[in-house]
Amino acid sequence: MDWGILTEVVCMNILTDEKDSIRTGRAWIFNYGRNEVKSFLLSNALFWIDEFHVDGLRVDAVASMIYLDYSRKEGEWVPNEYGGNENLEAIAFLKAMNEMVYHYHPDILTIAEESTAFAGVSHPTYAGGLGFGMKWMMGWMHDTLKYFGQDPLYRKYSHNQITFSMIYNYSENYVLPLSHDEVVYGKGSLLGRMPGEGKDQFANLRLMIGYMFTHPGAKLLFMGGEFGQRSEWNFASQLEWGVLNYESHMGIIEWSKVMNHMYKDEKSLHELCTKPEGFSWVRVDDWTQSVLAYERIGIDPNDKIIVILNMTPVDRPQYRIGTEEFGSWQLIDHSDKEVYWGRGRNVPENVNIEEGVWETKANSMEFSLPGLTVVIYKFKAGKKKAKGMLRPATAHPRATAQQPAEAKAKEIKPSKQIASSVSKKAEAKAPVESKTKLSKPFVRRSLGEGGSKLNEQKAKNAAEKVPVKKVVVAKVAKKKVAVKKNTPLKSTAKKSAGIKSLLSNGVDKKKGSKKK
């Protein structure tokens, strides 16, 4: 619904201020600071949605609303209270309108036809934006029509026009508009703006439609463009439905139908439409051959398609591209099929990714690109080969020869000086009195019950410079003997000979010491 035309007529009788009477183009500039003006416009918006159940509202010429000096010469406009050229009242009104509409109808769209670089048109109002759901991508529209309107021979000199849109693509939520404004006022129809004759002219239009449907952003294709109407739009008459009796125009409408279904069915074309993760250039710099290739990626990184556009009539049957991926590509569709009134040139159904360095990439893939054609493939992931699988898992001969010497060099052996310094530090830290004890919780965790007495003996031996190892053996033996006196141990086959000898030696030593 073109809201600007409706409000232009109805609101003329409530313009009272002098600044309201200035007309820019075909739209009046309203005084958005007056409550009666705002009330009427807001009611107008809700009326079309409540009563006529429209799916959305497009606000025309937003730039003329938000800039006080839009289409005005110096001295014909008054700055705002801060001295700027922004119409603060209009900006506040647009925010209020979007908040109100989305509050009552969260499932509709509001779209701004805004042609300047005003920031945040499609950003939420709480983030400082105007609150629109989407914004027309006017720059993409102008660049695309200008590029495809050129003779293919000269397109290589305008390669930047077809790639520039991705530089600012994620600054807003964009709509790609091929609207009524582009097929009126002597501009001609979309088909009429394409170069070439016969099949080349229709191939150019199919190529441009394929580019639009695979480029990030929502799609807007004005009626008549989907079947290649030859004359521009005339609001006083109907569309040229009679041209559908010709195969050439039926081919355009069949291709448009396929692209609509592909846009809906392939998640990679719409899931991350407004996120940088959803797009990746594959070939952006081949301006000499006018070839463009990019991937559209879904939430699942392996759910993706590759789109390759050959912008010239020259066939390129062996067009190779480097890649780091493993797997293959399966053909979804291409625009040169005979059913679309193409020439039916050969395009492989499956393209395997081959090993071998190409253009600084580890692997490569080879496509067949008919002239003035877009080919679209879907990715099928393959298994990545392990790095060691390409050659035997043996070390290099030089590394093997040097290994013993290197291993010896890496062995860490403390010198006598280091050992003596460590022992001196240990002596300095050793407790002097035998009464030193560790805390009970630590003893129980590390040595078990009864370990406190053992620590006392350790501290005493450290002061007397007695080897700790011998004392530990003696104390353990003493403990075991005490257990044997209180509760005699039953000899079992499971007891090791080492334990028996240890106990017996400890008893003999104890007895011998008593005898002495």
Side-chain angles (χ1 to χ4, degrees), residues 80-100:
N80 60 35
E81 57 185 305
Y82 302 107
N85 64 340
E86 298 87 1
N87 190 334
L88 302 179
E89 295 168 342
I91 292 173
F93 164 76
L94 290 174
K95 290 181 178 181
M97 184 272 295
N98 283 308
E99 289 176 350
M100 182 195 67

Side-chain angles (χ1 to χ4, degrees), residues 8 53 61 121 189 228 255 333-334 353 369 432 470 479 494:
E8 175 185 357
H53 308 287
V121 172
S189 65
W255 175 246
D333 215 333
H334 67 90
I353 297 176
L369 307 179
V432 179
K470 293 182 180 180
K479 182 179 179 182
K494 294 183 180 179

Side-chain angles (χ1 to χ4, degrees), residues 141-371:
M141 179 269 296
H142 287 299
D143 290 341
T144 299
L145 291 176
K146 187 175 181 180
Y147 179 87
F148 281 96
Q150 294 183 88
D151 188 306
L153 178 65
Y154 303 108
R155 284 177 179 170
K156 62 183 178 181
Y157 303 114
S158 303
H159 195 70
N160 62 306
Q161 285 184 342
I162 206 68
T163 60
F164 181 69
S165 60
M166 291 309 302
I167 293 179
Y168 61 92
N169 183 75
Y170 303 107
S171 60
E172 301 278 359
N173 300 325
Y174 281 114
V175 177
L176 310 180
L178 295 177
S179 67
H180 68 284
D181 285 334
E182 316 317 318
V183 291
V184 292
Y185 307 132
K187 298 176 183 177
S189 65
L190 294 181
L191 180 63
R193 299 171 75 160
M194 297 295 107
E197 298 178 351
K199 289 202 170 187
D200 282 350
Q201 188 179 36
F202 282 85
N204 268 297
L205 181 56
R206 292 194 303 271
L207 181 63
M208 187 179 72
I209 293 175
Y211 168 67
M212 181 187 76
F213 272 89
T214 56
H215 188 286
K219 323 303 174 189
L220 193 157
L221 183 60
F222 187 68
M223 56 185 181
E226 75 277 15
F227 60 83
Q229 179 172 299
R230 281 204 173 271
S231 61
E232 69 177 31
W233 177 54
N234 182 6
F235 68 91
S237 63
Q238 63 178 349
L239 298 177
E240 296 178 349
W241 299 110
V243 299
L244 292 176
N245 294 323
Y246 300 98
E247 294 181 359
S248 55
H249 294 272
M250 280 300 299
I252 296 292
I253 200 170
E254 287 298 325
W255 175 246
S256 301
K257 186 188 302 182
V258 165
M259 294 309 299
N260 264 314
H261 285 287
M262 188 185 302
Y263 178 63
K264 179 175 66 77
D265 297 336
E266 291 295 333
K267 295 181 180 179
S268 58
L269 288 176
H270 61 257
E271 279 188 337
L272 298 177
C273 181
T274 60
K275 305 293 182 183
E277 296 82 5
F279 181 91
S280 176
W281 284 116
V282 177
R283 177 60 58 80
V284 67
D285 56 352
D286 192 1
W287 63 275
T288 57
Q289 300 185 90
S290 298
V291 174
L292 204 64
Y294 49 85
E295 290 180 355
R296 294 297 311 278
I297 307 164
I299 295 176
D300 179 4
N302 287 325
D303 184 8
K304 58 185 174 182
I305 66 172
I306 186 170
V307 182
I308 311 175
L309 302 103
N310 184 3
M311 307 290 194
T312 67
V314 180
D315 295 344
R316 308 191 188 281
Q318 295 178 325
Y319 193 85
R320 187 168 290 274
I321 302 174
T323 181
E324 297 290 347
E325 296 166 334
F326 296 84
S328 62
W329 296 92
Q330 295 180 341
L331 181 67
I332 299 178
D333 215 333
H334 67 90
S335 62
D336 194 53
K337 289 183 177 179
E338 293 181 355
V339 67
Y340 309 132
W341 210 58
R343 290 183 168 86
R345 286 163 288 191
N346 180 54
V347 176
E349 292 288 332
N350 189 72
V351 173
N352 293 317
I353 297 176
E354 305 169 6
E355 294 184 10
V357 178
W358 185 268
E359 298 173 339
T360 71
K361 302 292 185 180
N363 306 315
S364 65
M365 44 198 180
E366 186 177 274
F367 296 93
S368 178
L369 307 179

Side-chain angles (χ1 to χ4, degrees), residues 443-456:
V443 171
R444 289 174 181 173
R445 286 197 303 271
S446 58
L447 302 175
E449 299 292 341
S452 59
K453 293 182 179 181
L454 183 59
N455 275 288
E456 292 178 13

